[in-house]
């Protein structure tokens, strides 16, 4: 995995990163919900994609579970670290967490600080880009996950797009799960319900989380080529 990420310039050398003013803060949302342990027990994933990471609370919890259960998991975290259109920019406290400098978020530093402090840098690979961009890049890199946690944009069309694109990089028999399956987030509920109906998937939900398993027979397309694209660059 490290070699694959190095090919696109992500070497995870944070030795000169400016952490001034940053202290450990792993605030999240239902980031230690029991669904995480259930998924890790059932799937014992070697590769997990997390779509929507924020400060790293959920990925750090999954990392702790992986070590507890001896799963040896590597994680790819796809996030812009720019926040969402809803509460994260509007709510004053969440906006503080964005660490705006000249109106531009710098909270990626918070995430890196947290994963460094928790000794998880070697196992976590950040993809700092939109979920759409991340899905296509993962496909180009030929990476497929055993489990994917979806918790990025919460509008119906955002969730619908994430489900469609990330289902394509989920291995047959893998599990997709996510947050905010509740009346507070009707767009999440509608998108998840529609996707499961359209694909004949058995949806389970409880205490705000949703989950389904990809059928074992799903045939995923070949990875998109990376080399020809890179070689076309000047
Ligand atoms: C609810 S938070 C994730 C919380 C995290 N999973 C946890 O449990 O602590 C949503 C995150 O999704 C990111 N996000 C929102 N829309 C996105 C998009 N279209 N592409 C990538 N990241 C996005 C935001 O920057 C934010 O960090």
């Amino acid at each position: 995995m490290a070699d694959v990420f190095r090919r696109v310039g992500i070497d995870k050398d944070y030795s000169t990163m400016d952490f001034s003013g940053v202290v450990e803060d792993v605030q999240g949302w239902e980031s230690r919900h029991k669904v995480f342990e259930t998924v890790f027990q059932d799937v014992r994933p070697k590769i997990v994609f997390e779509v929507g990471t924020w400060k790293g609370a959920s990925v750090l919890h999954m990392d702790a579970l992986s070590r507890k259960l001896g799963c040896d998991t590597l994680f790819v975290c796809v996030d812009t670290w720019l926040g969402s259109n809803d509460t994260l920019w509007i709510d004053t406290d969440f906006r503080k967490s964005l660490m705006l400098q000249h109106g531009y978020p710098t909270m990626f530093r918070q995430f890196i600080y947290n994963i460094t402090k928790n000794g998880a840098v070697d196992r976590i690979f950040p993809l700092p880009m939109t979920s759409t961009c991340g899905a296509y890049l993962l496909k180009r890199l030929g990476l497929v996950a055993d489990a994917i946690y979806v918790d990025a944009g919460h509008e119906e069309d955002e969730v619908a797009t994430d489900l469609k694109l990330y289902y394509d990089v989920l291995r047959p028999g893998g599990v997709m799960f996510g947050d905010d399956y509740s009346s507070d987030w009707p767009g999440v509920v509608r998108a998840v319900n529609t996707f499961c109906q359209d694909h004949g998937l058995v949806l389970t939900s409880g205490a705000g989380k949703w989950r389904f398993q990809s059928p074992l027979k799903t045939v995923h397309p070949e990875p998109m080529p990376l080399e020809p694209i890179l070689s076309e660059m000047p």
Side-chain angles (χ1 to χ4, degrees):
M1 178 86 85
D3 287 348
V4 175
F5 273 72
R6 240 177 258 120
R7 284 170 70 196
V8 292
I10 298 174
D11 63 5
K12 301 205 297 173
D13 176 1
Y14 304 118
S15 56
T16 58
M17 197 162 188
D18 176 13
F19 290 120
S20 50
V22 183
V23 293
E24 190 173 1
D25 167 13
V26 282
Q27 168 269 324
W29 295 263
E30 292 295 329
S31 312
R32 294 169 159 267
H33 189 286
K34 65 178 186 309
V35 73
F36 292 106
E37 182 142 19
T38 315
V39 168
F40 271 71
Q41 279 166 346
D42 293 353
V43 182
R44 301 191 61 79
K46 290 286 174 210
I47 299 184
V48 169
F49 297 161
E50 178 173 76
V51 191
T53 294
W54 189 240
K55 299 174 187 174
S58 43
V59 74
L60 284 172
H61 178 57
M62 289 192 274
D63 179 56
L65 284 171
S66 164
R67 283 180 292 131
K68 183 178 105 176
L69 299 170
C71 296
D72 224 2
T73 315
L74 295 178
F75 300 88
V76 176
C77 290
V78 184
D79 198 309
T80 54
W81 284 281
L82 296 176
S84 308
N85 74 80
D86 45 66
T87 47
L88 304 183
W89 276 86
I90 293 163
D91 179 282
T92 319
D93 285 334
F94 289 138
R95 194 181 326 118
K96 271 190 206 135
S97 291
L98 291 171
M99 300 182 164
L100 297 182
Q101 286 180 6
H102 313 290
Y104 197 84
T106 67
M107 71 167 304
F108 184 61
R109 298 179 304 133
Q110 177 75 68
F111 166 66
I112 296 299
Y113 186 91
N114 290 343
I115 63 169
T116 305
K117 257 287 203 230
N118 284 275
V121 169
D122 288 350
R123 298 179 294 278
I124 296 178
F125 293 81
L127 270 188
M129 55 189 67
T130 65
S131 56
T132 304
C133 181
Y136 284 113
L137 182 57
L138 288 166
K139 200 167 164 178
R140 287 210 157 90
L141 296 172
L143 293 176
V144 169
D146 304 305
I148 302 180
Y149 184 59
V150 180
D151 190 18
H154 282 35
E155 302 296 343
E156 182 175 355
D157 54 353
E158 293 178 302
V159 182
T161 301
D162 288 345
L163 291 173
K164 175 177 175 286
L165 294 179
Y166 283 88
Y167 192 61
D168 212 24
V169 286
L170 179 68
R171 77 153 164 81
V175 165
M176 228 164 157
F177 63 124
D179 196 23
D180 292 313
Y181 189 86
S182 79
S183 54
D184 288 344
W185 297 100
V188 175
V189 174
R190 279 195 301 269
V192 171
N193 288 351
T194 303
F195 189 83
C196 289
Q197 273 158 22
D198 290 352
H199 292 78
L201 297 163
V202 178
L203 173 67
T204 53
S205 64
K209 302 283 185 196
W210 58 267
R211 170 189 168 159
F212 62 75
Q213 184 166 19
S214 148
L216 278 164
K217 278 188 294 190
T218 304
V219 178
H220 290 281
E222 287 300 302
M224 293 161 84
L226 179 67
E227 294 307 345
I229 293 160
L230 287 181
S231 63
E232 279 165 22
M233 291 180 180

